[in-house]
């Protein structure tokens, strides 16, 4: 049945739900800004009936209209365009380009917890391995949740480990699914980058059913296609006079002289289904949520010159990494009231499995030894799962305070697993398949851990206008021990127009299973390195003996203002200190470099890896508790709803984030690696400078009759990072302040059909290019790094403007 529905979606069926109002007219998906601040929230509090505008912690609510008006129909882009502190990844190395991630407040993607209907969401199995600002990311893949299924998103921008457990250092994203029991819609979207590539087609649906007057069923689905883009420059190897003399077929390479297509978007098809349902049975609500997705993606790797496999690829070849991924999540639960106590018992299971392949490639040693090689390989399998069972209870006591004293508590048990499956024999024969060797038998393995936790949360108002909340949590992990965390929150409303709020908390993040156990061989045309698992015997040879959890202290203080009717202003300052932050190293060389460490060679041998004999440099990479960091910033949000009568209504909004990350301590590299460093200049810059120090969003949503116009201007402050070809000389690439404009114009026809035209990055802006001295050095060395024109840390991506059209039909 599931496969049939997915096939129907792929054939072009499309949907996205909007209920009809009483007279049959569709309810616009563009809720007023004021409606968002007045929304009742369930994130960051155990109290019932609390509105976002009254929260003691900074929280933003994005309605379905805000998510749909972002043009590119995926949740990561929708959040990134609406939240200044949320940065989306533009490009990833190796398989990270097949699963792009995002981060909050300049911290790791792993430092943000994702919930669906208040329940912990499982994470991706695909780890971002290569160096960069998103390195180590193995968080929830938000794009496996169809936007058409979402009612609204609550984003808690505050540490919340005491309330929710590990990962909630930067904040919490709680995705609330639609539960409409009637109505629905179909939506079709198409678009492309104005310059080239990125052709996108998307169809989605949402529909509600009411099997009985005490039940609801809401179903959503989506199918999306996104095509390759290419923003690469000329590969210096194909224009080298010496190479052309020895390999004249270079001029026949696809796209010559732009033969290397690595710098651009992956192409993918993704099909999604989502279910949200519930029924009242004698005062007890039984509920369930389920999501299922299939994704097939391919991403270009570096071009290989004809001399690699001349009899198989006389003109050279462009290998592609391929991924066939299946992801599902399921929650079943019951909630009710017993002896005046609210209770909620639930169990959630999620699993992500990714089969990794290599297409248009070959194994040189296998061909040399046997006279034949496959051109397609199964490189291995990543599998991650999470099973969480929890019991939450709450009760309100009348103790003579201005409001009842809310007492909440709960128990949770969670089991995580992570597995790497070995590649097929051809993919791992000697140095393995070109561009992405198969996972060896020593890389492969299955791992698990469990943890138990208990929490208590007490909240109330001792006097009028004062809100206090205290939470404490204890967790016990099977692999690294226990953690005790707490949080204090307070707010005082001096007048209806002015309130002061603040929080103090400590938190922790357990290492992800992927960070602990991922092991692989990474290759480029000129370099090969082994990613060592920190828990492995080989890692011990270079002085790394596993990972510790990160520990954090969070502080925030803020103002809530209502300067005039229908206007709200919030300003919050924050500071986040993280100790023993888990960071991936760059390549630590063992041979072929100006500076080498003999222990690296021993570790590679101990790990059982055979490296490509044609490369000039070999080394290792590894995750470690490399540093302490301090993250400080200010977030501000302004909203105002105005009515100009005959001229229409305008919802004005402005939001900003100022953020600074500082490395306060670098833990000394093990003596076995000296004089090289685990955290070099490039890694430090990725932490401190690769996210904009400032981001401002200015928005205006105008509505009159059947017309709607949404205009957003985004300002991105400066950012920078360093690159190196040898870990000796470093080059800084800077991106100056950027301004981009998003525009969407919609017209509603016959009350049930809406046509929209829009653009993200209307004026086709690009970031500054890579440091030209670095590019020149790469060209002189015939290094493929010269292909990269635009830095991967660009906050606006590397593809320029995206134009789109959308049609929505409601019923």
């Amino acid at each position: 049945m599931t496969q049939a529905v997915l096939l129907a979606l792929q054939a072009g069926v499309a949907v996205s739900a909007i209920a009809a109002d009483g007279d049959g007219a569709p309810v616009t998906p563009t809720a007023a800004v004021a409606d968002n601040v007045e929304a009742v929230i369930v994130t960051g509090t155990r109290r019932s009936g609390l509105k976002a505008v009254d929260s003691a912690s900074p929280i933003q609510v994005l309605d379905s209209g805000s998510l749909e008006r972002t043009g590119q129909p995926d949740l990561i882009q929708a959040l990134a365009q609406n939240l200044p502190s949320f940065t989306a990844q533009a490009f990833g190395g190796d398989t990270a380009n097949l699963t792009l991630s995002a981060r909050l407040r300049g911290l790791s993607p792993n430092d943000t917890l994702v919930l669906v209907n208040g329940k912990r969401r499982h994470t991706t199995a695909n780890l971002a391995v290569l160096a960069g600002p998103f390195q180590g990311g193995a968080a929830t893949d938000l794009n496996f949740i169809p936007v058409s299924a979402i009612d609204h998103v609550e984003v808690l921008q505050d540490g919340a480990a005491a309330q929710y457990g590990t990962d909630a250092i930067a904040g919490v994203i709680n995705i609330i699914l639609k539960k409409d029991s009637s109505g629905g819609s179909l939506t079709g979207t198409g678009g492309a980058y104005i310059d080239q590539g990125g052709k996108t087609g998307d169809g989605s649906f949402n529909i509600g059913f009411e099997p009985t007057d005490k039940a609801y069923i809401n179903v959503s689905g989506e199918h999306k296609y996104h095509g390759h883009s290419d923003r690469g420059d000329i590969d210096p190897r194909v224009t080298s006079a010496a190479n052309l003399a020895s390999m004249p077929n270079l001029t026949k390479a696809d796209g010559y002289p732009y033969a290397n297509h690595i710098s651009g978007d992956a192409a993918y098809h993704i099909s999604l289904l989502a279910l949200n349902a519930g029924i009242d049975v004698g005062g007890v609500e039984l509920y369930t949520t389920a999501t299922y997705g299939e994704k097939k993606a391919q991403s270009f790797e570096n071009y290989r010159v004809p001399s690699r496999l001349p009899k198989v690829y006389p003109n050279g070849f462009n290998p592609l990494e391929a991924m066939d991924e299946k992801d599902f999540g399921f929650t079943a639960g019951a909630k009710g009231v017993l002896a005046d106590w609210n209770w909620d018992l639930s169990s959630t299971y999620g699993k992500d499995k990714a089969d990794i392949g290599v297409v248009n490639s070959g194994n040189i040693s296998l061909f040399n030894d046997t006279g034949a090689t496959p051109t397609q390989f199964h490189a291995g399998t990543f599998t991650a799962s999470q099973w969480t069972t929890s019991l939450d209870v709450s009760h309100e006591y009348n103790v003579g305070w201005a409001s009842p004293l809310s007492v909440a508590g709960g128990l949770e048990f969670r089991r995580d697993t992570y597995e790497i499956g070995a590649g097929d024999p051809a993919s791992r024969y000697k140095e393995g398949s070109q561009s992405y060797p198969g996972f060896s038998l020593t890389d492969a393995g299955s791992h698990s851990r469990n943890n138990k936790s208990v929490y208590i949360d007490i909240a109330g108002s001792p006097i009028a206008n004062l809100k206090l909340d205290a939470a404490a949590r204890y967790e016990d992990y099977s692999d690294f021990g226990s953690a005790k965390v707490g949080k204090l929150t307070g707010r005082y409303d001096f007048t209806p127009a002015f309130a002061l709020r603040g929080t103090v908390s400590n938190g922790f993040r357990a290492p992800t299973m992927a960070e602990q156990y991922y092991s692989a061989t990474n290759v480029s045309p000129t370099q090969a390195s082994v990613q060592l698992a920190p828990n492995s015997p080989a890692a011990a040879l270079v002085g790394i003996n596993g990972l510790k959890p990160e520990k954090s202290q969070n502080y925030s203080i803020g103002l809530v203002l209502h300067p005039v009717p229908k206007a709200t202003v919030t300003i919050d300052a924050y500071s986040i200190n993280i100790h023993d932050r888990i960071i991936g190293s760059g390549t630590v060389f063992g041979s072929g470099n100006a500076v080498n460490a003999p222990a690296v060679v021993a570790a590679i041998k101990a790990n059982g890896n055979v490296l490509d004999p044609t490369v000039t440099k070999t080394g290792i990479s590894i995750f470690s508790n490399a540093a302490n960091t301090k993250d400080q910033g200010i977030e501000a949000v302004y909203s105002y709803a105005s009515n100009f009568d005959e001229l229409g209504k305008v919802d004005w909004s402005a939001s900003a984030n100022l953020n600074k990350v500082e490395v306060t301590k670098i833990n000394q590299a093990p003596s076995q690696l000296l004089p090289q460093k685990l955290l070099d200049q490039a890694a430090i810059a990725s932490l401190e400078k690769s996210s904009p120090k400032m981001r401002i969003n200015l928005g205006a949503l105008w509505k009159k009759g059947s017309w709607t116009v949404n205009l957003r201007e985004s300002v991105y402050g400066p950012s920078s990072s360093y690159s190196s070809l040898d870990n000796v000389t470093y080059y800084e690439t800077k991106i100056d302040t950027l301004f981009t404009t998003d525009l969407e114009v919609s017209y509603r026809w016959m009350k049930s059909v809406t046509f929209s035209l829009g653009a993200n990055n209307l004026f086709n802006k690009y970031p500054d290019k890579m440091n030209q001295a670095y590019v020149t050095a790469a060209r002189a060395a015939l290094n493929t790094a010269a292909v990269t024109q635009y830095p991967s840390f660009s906050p606006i991506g590397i593809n320029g403007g995206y134009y789109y059209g959308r049609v929505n039909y409601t019923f």
Side-chain angles (χ1 to χ4, degrees), residues 104-156:
L104 193 63
R105 290 179 165 180
L107 298 179
S108 165
N110 300 332
D111 288 323
T112 299
L113 175 64
V114 176
L115 310 174
V116 175
N117 283 359
K119 309 301 181 183
R120 179 180 288 267
R121 176 78 173 181
H122 65 280
T123 59
T124 181
N126 187 15
L127 176 71
V129 178
L130 300 187
F134 296 88
Q135 185 181 27
T140 296
D141 188 347
L142 294 170
N143 287 339
F144 272 108
I145 301 172
V147 173
S148 61
I150 299 172
D151 181 83
H152 66 279
V153 178
E154 299 176 4
V155 183
L156 176 65

Side-chain angles (χ1 to χ4, degrees), residues 9 72 125 134 300 326 390 399:
L9 284 170
Q72 300 182 56
F134 296 88
F300 280 104
K326 293 180 174 61
S390 61
V399 294

Side-chain angles (χ1 to χ4, degrees), residues 16 53 95 113 133 304-305 313 334 368 371 431 440 492 565 611 673 675:
S16 143
V53 71
T95 58
L113 175 64
R304 264 58 179 179
V305 296
Y313 299 107
N368 291 339
E431 77 274 11
S440 68
Y492 187 76
L611 301 185
L673 301 178

Side-chain angles (χ1 to χ4, degrees), residues 110-368:
N110 300 332
D111 288 323
T112 299
L113 175 64
V114 176
L115 310 174
V116 175
N117 283 359
K119 309 301 181 183
R120 179 180 288 267
R121 176 78 173 181
H122 65 280
T123 59
T124 181
N126 187 15
L127 176 71
V129 178
L130 300 187
F134 296 88
Q135 185 181 27
T140 296
D141 188 347
L142 294 170
N143 287 339
F144 272 108
I145 301 172
V147 173
S148 61
I150 299 172
D151 181 83
H152 66 279
V153 178
E154 299 176 4
V155 183
L156 176 65
Q157 294 163 295
D158 195 25
Q163 295 160 300
Y164 298 105
T166 182
D167 305 342
I169 289 179
V172 178
I173 296 174
N174 191 5
I175 299 163
I176 309 300
L177 302 182
K178 292 174 180 175
K179 56 190 303 183
D180 299 321
S181 57
S182 62
S185 73
L186 307 172
T187 300
T189 303
Y193 298 123
I194 189 171
D195 284 340
Q196 172 268 328
K199 292 181 180 179
T200 301
D202 182 273
S204 63
F205 77 87
N206 173 272
I207 187 168
F209 303 95
E210 188 177 20
T212 73
D213 60 357
K214 294 184 178 181
Y216 66 90
I217 298 175
N218 193 273
V219 180
S220 304
E222 180 178 4
H223 178 74
K224 178 181 177 182
Y225 164 75
H226 182 77
H228 288 290
S229 67
D230 187 355
R231 296 296 181 267
D233 206 344
I234 295 173
D235 190 325
R237 297 171 301 158
V238 305
T239 56
S240 160
N243 282 352
L244 285 169
S246 62
M247 296 177 286
N249 276 9
L250 277 173
T251 59
K252 298 180 181 179
D254 180 37
Y256 182 87
Y258 298 93
N260 198 328
H261 309 305
I262 191 172
S263 187
D265 289 359
Y268 62 86
H269 287 266
I270 186 169
S271 299
L272 309 171
L273 288 172
L275 167 72
N276 191 27
I279 184 171
D280 186 285
V281 181
V284 174
E285 181 183 350
L286 305 179
Y287 60 88
T288 186
T289 62
T291 62
Y292 178 79
E294 294 183 357
K295 180 179 181 181
K296 296 183 184 297
Q298 290 188 343
S299 179
F300 280 104
E301 288 299 289
N302 280 302
Y303 169 75
R304 264 58 179 179
V305 296
S307 60
R308 287 295 180 102
L309 277 168
K311 294 184 178 180
V312 181
Y313 299 107
N315 301 328
F317 57 103
N318 275 295
L320 295 102
E321 289 178 9
M323 182 169 68
D324 187 349
E325 186 175 15
K326 293 180 174 61
D327 182 284
F328 72 88
F330 177 77
T331 296
K335 57 185 177 181
V337 179
L338 179 64
D340 293 329
W341 281 82
N342 300 304
W343 59 271
D344 185 343
L345 176 64
S346 66
S347 191
T348 299
Y349 181 78
K351 184 177 181 179
D352 184 72
K353 182 179 181 181
D355 286 301
I356 307 300
V358 189
V359 180
N360 199 41
S361 183
N363 185 318
I364 295 175
S365 289
L366 182 62
F367 183 85
N368 291 339

Side-chain angles (χ1 to χ4, degrees), residues 108 110 127 129 135-136 509 511-512 514-518 531-535 539-540 542-550 578-586 588 620-629 665-670 673 676-680 683 687:
S108 165
N110 300 332
L127 176 71
V129 178
Q135 185 181 27
R509 179 177 78 82
T512 65
E515 286 172 321
Q516 292 187 91
Y517 297 108
Y518 181 89
Q531 181 76 33
L532 295 180
N535 289 23
V542 294
I544 303 295
N545 296 288
L547 296 175
K548 298 182 291 185
E550 297 178 349
I578 301 180
H579 301 275
D580 295 323
R581 185 164 168 177
I582 300 170
I583 305 167
S585 72
V588 182
I620 62 166
S621 301
I622 194 167
F623 290 100
S624 68
N625 298 98
N628 298 349
T629 64
K665 178 186 176 184
I666 299 175
N667 296 327
Q668 179 65 44
L673 301 178
Q676 298 182 84
K677 302 175 181 178
L678 285 175
L679 208 59
D680 64 3
L687 295 171

